[in-house]
Amino acid sequence: MYTLDRLGRNLREVLNLVHDLGGNYIGVRSPADPLPINTADEGTGRIAFLLLALFAERKRTFTAERASHARAVAEGAGRRNHLPVADLADLADKIEYARLLKDQGSSYGEISTKTGIPKTSLHRYLQG
């Protein structure tokens, strides 16, 4: 493991994992952290691990809060942070046109250019 924030999704998960590994005499070391941490060591190593695990949890929490705030600000300004919803009626017409072009012998590249449907999607829509 390189950093503690990659060890689990939250502090409880990280602590449970390290506890379970410790029960099997397996220690966790983190080479990227500034302190030499090895949970197999008694005393200072465990305390340093707990502190860094706590800081990693704080970092995850702050990142989630910043993302939530950015979404709220964007929505307040009238910007959308998600993909636009496809017009299904228009898509059905395009797929029907793509089937007609395929029956006439057009290549996927030509069909994609004429319909605006990506080639990877065309393979999925026209396989049946």
Short mmCIF file of all heavy atoms in Angstrom, two decimals, residues 7 12-28 39 46 49:
data_model
loop_
_atom_site.label_atom_id
_atom_site.label_comp_id
_atom_site.label_asym_id
_atom_site.label_seq_id
_atom_site.Cartn_x
_atom_site.Cartn_y
_atom_site.Cartn_z
N LEU A 7 -6.22 2.64 1.53
CA LEU A 7 -6.40 1.38 2.25
C LEU A 7 -7.86 1.03 2.47
O LEU A 7 -8.22 -0.13 2.55
CB LEU A 7 -5.65 1.45 3.58
CG LEU A 7 -5.44 0.16 4.35
CD1 LEU A 7 -4.72 -0.86 3.49
CD2 LEU A 7 -4.65 0.44 5.60
N ARG A 12 -13.19 3.71 9.85
CA ARG A 12 -13.58 2.45 10.48
C ARG A 12 -13.09 1.25 9.66
O ARG A 12 -12.55 0.28 10.20
CB ARG A 12 -15.09 2.38 10.64
CG ARG A 12 -15.57 1.05 11.24
CD ARG A 12 -17.06 1.00 11.41
NE ARG A 12 -17.55 1.96 12.38
CZ ARG A 12 -17.58 1.74 13.69
NH1 ARG A 12 -17.14 0.60 14.18
NH2 ARG A 12 -18.06 2.64 14.51
N GLU A 13 -13.24 1.33 8.35
CA GLU A 13 -12.80 0.23 7.48
C GLU A 13 -11.29 0.03 7.56
O GLU A 13 -10.80 -1.10 7.62
CB GLU A 13 -13.23 0.54 6.04
CG GLU A 13 -13.14 -0.63 5.11
CD GLU A 13 -13.73 -0.30 3.76
OE1 GLU A 13 -14.96 -0.26 3.63
OE2 GLU A 13 -12.93 -0.10 2.83
N VAL A 14 -10.54 1.13 7.59
CA VAL A 14 -9.08 1.05 7.69
C VAL A 14 -8.67 0.43 9.02
O VAL A 14 -7.84 -0.47 9.07
CB VAL A 14 -8.44 2.45 7.52
CG1 VAL A 14 -6.96 2.41 7.84
CG2 VAL A 14 -8.67 2.96 6.11
N LEU A 15 -9.27 0.90 10.10
CA LEU A 15 -8.92 0.38 11.42
C LEU A 15 -9.28 -1.10 11.55
O LEU A 15 -8.51 -1.88 12.12
CB LEU A 15 -9.60 1.19 12.52
CG LEU A 15 -9.15 2.65 12.63
CD1 LEU A 15 -9.95 3.37 13.70
CD2 LEU A 15 -7.66 2.75 12.88
N ASN A 16 -10.45 -1.49 11.03
CA ASN A 16 -10.84 -2.90 11.08
C ASN A 16 -9.88 -3.77 10.29
O ASN A 16 -9.50 -4.86 10.73
CB ASN A 16 -12.26 -3.08 10.57
CG ASN A 16 -13.30 -2.58 11.55
OD1 ASN A 16 -13.04 -2.42 12.74
ND2 ASN A 16 -14.50 -2.33 11.05
N LEU A 17 -9.47 -3.30 9.11
CA LEU A 17 -8.55 -4.06 8.28
C LEU A 17 -7.21 -4.25 8.98
O LEU A 17 -6.68 -5.37 9.04
CB LEU A 17 -8.35 -3.37 6.93
CG LEU A 17 -7.34 -4.03 5.99
CD1 LEU A 17 -7.80 -5.42 5.59
CD2 LEU A 17 -7.11 -3.16 4.78
N VAL A 18 -6.68 -3.17 9.53
CA VAL A 18 -5.38 -3.26 10.22
C VAL A 18 -5.49 -4.15 11.45
O VAL A 18 -4.59 -4.94 11.75
CB VAL A 18 -4.86 -1.85 10.57
CG1 VAL A 18 -3.66 -1.92 11.48
CG2 VAL A 18 -4.51 -1.10 9.30
N HIS A 19 -6.61 -4.08 12.16
CA HIS A 19 -6.81 -4.93 13.33
C HIS A 19 -6.86 -6.41 12.92
O HIS A 19 -6.22 -7.27 13.55
CB HIS A 19 -8.10 -4.53 14.05
CG HIS A 19 -8.35 -5.33 15.29
ND1 HIS A 19 -9.14 -6.46 15.29
CD2 HIS A 19 -7.91 -5.17 16.56
CE1 HIS A 19 -9.17 -6.97 16.48
NE2 HIS A 19 -8.44 -6.21 17.29
N ASP A 20 -7.61 -6.70 11.85
CA ASP A 20 -7.70 -8.08 11.37
C ASP A 20 -6.34 -8.60 10.89
O ASP A 20 -5.97 -9.74 11.17
CB ASP A 20 -8.72 -8.19 10.23
CG ASP A 20 -10.15 -7.95 10.71
OD1 ASP A 20 -10.39 -7.97 11.93
OD2 ASP A 20 -11.02 -7.70 9.84
N LEU A 21 -5.60 -7.76 10.18
CA LEU A 21 -4.28 -8.17 9.72
C LEU A 21 -3.34 -8.38 10.91
O LEU A 21 -2.55 -9.33 10.93
CB LEU A 21 -3.69 -7.12 8.77
CG LEU A 21 -4.35 -7.02 7.40
CD1 LEU A 21 -3.79 -5.82 6.65
CD2 LEU A 21 -4.16 -8.29 6.61
N GLY A 22 -3.43 -7.50 11.92
CA GLY A 22 -2.60 -7.64 13.11
C GLY A 22 -2.88 -8.94 13.85
O GLY A 22 -1.98 -9.53 14.45
N GLY A 23 -4.13 -9.40 13.81
CA GLY A 23 -4.48 -10.68 14.42
C GLY A 23 -3.77 -11.84 13.76
O GLY A 23 -3.58 -12.90 14.36
N ASN A 24 -3.37 -11.67 12.51
CA ASN A 24 -2.63 -12.69 11.77
C ASN A 24 -1.14 -12.37 11.70
O ASN A 24 -0.43 -12.88 10.84
CB ASN A 24 -3.18 -12.83 10.35
CG ASN A 24 -4.58 -13.40 10.34
OD1 ASN A 24 -4.91 -14.26 11.14
ND2 ASN A 24 -5.41 -12.92 9.43
N TYR A 25 -0.68 -11.47 12.59
CA TYR A 25 0.72 -11.06 12.67
C TYR A 25 1.22 -10.43 11.37
O TYR A 25 2.35 -10.66 10.95
CB TYR A 25 1.62 -12.24 13.09
CG TYR A 25 1.17 -12.86 14.38
CD1 TYR A 25 0.45 -14.06 14.39
CD2 TYR A 25 1.42 -12.22 15.59
CE1 TYR A 25 0.02 -14.61 15.58
CE2 TYR A 25 0.99 -12.78 16.79
CZ TYR A 25 0.29 -13.97 16.78
OH TYR A 25 -0.15 -14.51 17.96
N ILE A 26 0.35 -9.65 10.74
CA ILE A 26 0.71 -8.93 9.52
C ILE A 26 0.66 -7.45 9.82
O ILE A 26 -0.34 -6.95 10.34
CB ILE A 26 -0.26 -9.26 8.37
CG1 ILE A 26 -0.20 -10.76 8.05
CG2 ILE A 26 0.07 -8.43 7.13
CD1 ILE A 26 -1.29 -11.21 7.10
N GLY A 27 1.72 -6.74 9.51
CA GLY A 27 1.77 -5.29 9.73
C GLY A 27 1.54 -4.54 8.44
O GLY A 27 1.67 -5.07 7.34
N VAL A 28 1.20 -3.27 8.57
CA VAL A 28 0.98 -2.39 7.42
C VAL A 28 2.02 -1.29 7.48
O VAL A 28 2.23 -0.67 8.52
CB VAL A 28 -0.44 -1.77 7.46
CG1 VAL A 28 -0.62 -0.77 6.34
CG2 VAL A 28 -1.49 -2.85 7.39
N THR A 39 2.64 -0.93 11.50
CA THR A 39 1.67 -1.29 12.54
C THR A 39 2.07 -2.54 13.30
O THR A 39 1.49 -2.83 14.34
CB THR A 39 0.27 -1.48 11.96
OG1 THR A 39 0.30 -2.52 10.98
CG2 THR A 39 -0.24 -0.19 11.33
N ARG A 46 2.06 2.47 15.98
CA ARG A 46 0.60 2.39 15.98
C ARG A 46 -0.04 3.76 16.16
O ARG A 46 -1.03 4.08 15.52
CB ARG A 46 0.11 1.46 17.07
CG ARG A 46 0.34 0.03 16.71
CD ARG A 46 -0.26 -0.87 17.75
NE ARG A 46 0.13 -2.22 17.41
CZ ARG A 46 -0.68 -3.24 17.53
NH1 ARG A 46 -1.89 -3.08 17.99
NH2 ARG A 46 -0.28 -4.44 17.20
N PHE A 49 0.28 5.63 13.00
CA PHE A 49 -0.68 5.09 12.03
C PHE A 49 -2.08 5.62 12.28
O PHE A 49 -2.78 6.04 11.36
CB PHE A 49 -0.69 3.56 12.09
CG PHE A 49 -1.84 2.97 11.34
CD1 PHE A 49 -1.82 2.90 9.96
CD2 PHE A 49 -2.98 2.53 12.00
CE1 PHE A 49 -2.88 2.39 9.26
CE2 PHE A 49 -4.05 2.02 11.31
CZ PHE A 49 -4.00 1.95 9.94
#
